[in-house]
Amino acid sequence: MAEKTLNLEAVRERIDALDQQIQVLIAERAGLAQDVRRVKGDLAGPAAYYRPDREAQVLRRVIERNDGPLSDTVMLRLFREIMSACLAQQEPLRVAYLGPEGTFTQQAVYRQFGHSVNAIAQPSIEDVFLQVQAGEVDFGVVPVENSSQGIVSHTLDMFLHSEIKITAEVELRIHQHLLTRARRLGEIERVYAHSQSLSQCKHWLAAHLPEAELIALSSNAEAARRVRTQPDAAAIAGRHAAEVYGLPVLFGNIEDHVDNTTRFLVLGSELLPASGEDKTTLLVAGSDGPGALFRLLEPLARHGVNMKRIESRPSRQGRWDYVFFIDVEGHIEEAAVAEALAELQSEARMVKILGSYPRAVLGRMPEAEGASPSPGAAPAA
């Protein structure tokens, strides 16, 4: 017994020594961040010192160095918070997001920027764009697509008449939870949620709450806010909303698809340098007639540029007139992308570069908040 106590004390002493070293190194890093600020001089504001391309490179190296036992996800979160705190020493970044407080978009803000930012909720996607355009905030975050529900059309439509640029993307695994003050499913008469969340959980709801009234609201956070005072109702929302609004999680991870993921765009005011692993988003309009779409895509194929996604949207300039949003791999500084764009501009009626930005930095191990419960599973703690 004495030997075990001695070993435990030795381990604790080693932990204390490492904690001291870590604290010293973090302080040194914060001092170097101040040096960077002095080297760059008195720029316009905190946004001038935040570079998504540079941050992506740092985080990719974190993953490359990581040999465990902590997962990539945990290591990325730790380093994001360190970088966030170092950047915010003088003045925190102001980031507008689709609110209210407790939404998945707010989670995406913290995933990208850490918690040392001033996250400012906005009532609509349009308001996020307007805040960035007016310079009232440094960046904005809006949802653009979900892996099971598809594109967020209003986000794409805002780019039709905006000069806002995409500066980064965030991929967030979406775990839907049933939040309620009810102690059993039989006590729940109504379920509030955003329409997309109701759709993402429709099979679970049909199996477990077939008699409950399903009520669509503007956001899951609003659903959680309502349920605070309705013990016979439940909300579908994320764990962050449960914490914000003080609601118990009766069942966790009730989404129908275990890989349910939403992609968010970070909005800024300028195009950024290449990070080494990038995407470019284009807004393209072609001429009318047979083969019009083929002529728009053919330069990409000829120069070996991989297209990741294409979406058509009404141009709002004429009846049955459409534009295309195209995501391709690579940065506009890369030769193949630049050459393909030069050809595309000679062929298309309009080519607008919405952004060349780092691909979302993802760890090699998926986040795990527990498996989706099967019928009869015990409520989440």
Side-chain angles (χ1 to χ4, degrees):
M1 183 67 68
E3 183 178 351
K4 288 185 178 180
T5 302
L6 178 62
N7 289 339
L8 179 60
E9 288 303 316
V11 170
R12 286 174 173 168
E13 288 178 6
R14 178 62 177 152
I15 288 174
D16 290 344
L18 286 173
D19 285 345
Q20 183 177 356
Q21 291 177 42
I22 290 169
Q23 186 172 351
V24 169
L25 291 172
I26 290 175
E28 183 178 352
R29 193 190 195 286
L32 291 172
Q34 292 177 337
D35 290 343
V36 169
R37 199 177 190 96
R38 283 190 286 269
V39 169
K40 288 189 173 182
D42 187 18
L43 300 179
Y49 304 97
Y50 175 76
R51 301 303 298 252
D53 51 313
R54 163 68 178 161
E55 182 174 281
Q57 292 169 345
V58 172
L59 294 176
R60 288 175 196 141
R61 286 197 290 269
V62 169
I63 294 173
E64 291 171 2
R65 291 192 300 261
N66 187 32
D67 293 324
L70 297 179
S71 71
D72 288 349
T73 299
V74 172
M75 292 298 289
L76 288 172
R77 184 164 65 244
L78 290 171
F79 271 82
R80 278 194 180 97
E81 293 300 337
I82 291 171
M83 290 189 288
S84 178
C86 290
L87 181 67
Q89 290 177 86
Q90 277 74 32
E91 181 183 356
L93 288 170
R94 299 162 299 162
V95 183
Y97 69 94
L98 177 62
E101 187 179 10
T103 60
F104 287 114
T105 311
Q106 186 182 26
Q107 285 184 242
V109 170
Y110 295 139
R111 168 68 62 83
Q112 177 68 22
F113 296 97
H115 284 71
S116 298
V117 297
N118 183 9
I120 305 168
Q122 300 297 318
S124 70
I125 288 172
E126 180 179 7
D127 285 298
V128 176
F129 272 79
L130 291 174
Q131 287 287 300
V132 177
Q133 185 79 56
E136 296 296 325
V137 296
D138 302 305
F139 296 96
V141 177
V142 292
V144 69
E145 65 177 321
N146 177 267
S147 58
S148 61
Q149 297 297 305
I151 206 71
V152 180
S153 57
H154 190 49
T155 294
L156 293 186
D157 291 343
M158 287 301 301
F159 285 106
L160 292 173
H161 305 291
S162 172
E163 296 305 314
I164 293 298
K165 300 300 181 184
I166 303 168
T167 61
E169 66 172 1
V170 184
E171 288 189 15
L172 188 68
R173 194 72 167 270
I174 302 299
H175 294 292
Q176 305 281 11
H177 305 310
L178 191 73
L179 315 184
T180 181
R181 297 198 183 281
R183 302 186 69 84
R184 296 182 301 276
L185 288 173
E187 299 174 5
I188 298 172
E189 299 179 2
R190 296 175 305 285
V191 178
Y192 298 103
H194 189 278
S195 58
Q196 283 204 354
S197 293
L198 290 173
S199 180
Q200 291 169 19
C201 304
K202 63 182 179 181
H203 296 304
W204 191 94
L205 291 170
H208 295 82
L209 290 167
E211 304 299 324
E213 181 183 7
L214 307 182
I215 304 172
L217 296 178
S218 60
S219 72
N220 291 340
E222 171 60 20
R225 189 189 66 80
R226 288 199 187 191
V227 167
R228 287 186 302 179
T229 57
Q230 299 183 33
D232 59 348
I236 296 175
R239 197 170 294 277
H240 181 56
E243 296 168 356
V244 169
Y245 296 99
L247 286 169
V249 177
L250 185 62
F251 278 86
N253 296 11
I254 66 171
E255 63 274 6
D256 295 329
H257 301 287
V258 295
D259 60 348
N260 186 29
T261 301
T262 295
R263 179 173 170 245
F264 300 84
L265 298 179
V266 179
L267 308 177
S269 58
E270 61 178 319
L271 293 171
L272 298 176
S275 73
E277 296 181 29
D278 301 286
K279 279 184 181 178
T280 295
T281 298
L282 308 171
L283 173 58
V284 181
S287 303
D288 195 12
L293 181 56
F294 172 80
R295 289 193 297 272
L296 294 178
L297 300 181
E298 199 271 339
L300 300 176
R302 185 164 54 251
H303 290 279
V305 177
N306 187 29
M307 184 178 69
K308 301 295 292 182
R309 182 175 63 89
I310 182 169
E311 296 285 341
S312 64
R313 294 294 302 158
S315 69
R316 301 184 179 180
Q317 295 182 349
R319 188 171 52 184
W320 315 126
D321 186 53
Y322 291 85
V323 296
F324 298 95
F325 291 85
I326 302 174
D327 284 350
V328 301
E329 288 185 345
H331 193 278
I332 56 172
E333 294 177 354
E334 297 174 17
V337 177
E339 290 167 4
L341 285 178
E343 287 191 26
L344 183 57
Q345 286 168 338
S346 66
E347 185 66 48
R349 187 172 81 239
M350 176 192 68
V351 177
K352 185 177 180 182
I353 300 169
L354 300 184
S356 258
Y357 50 92
R359 293 206 316 245
V361 180
L362 304 173
R364 290 164 293 190
M365 303 178 191
E367 291 181 34
E369 291 184 6
S372 184
S374 57

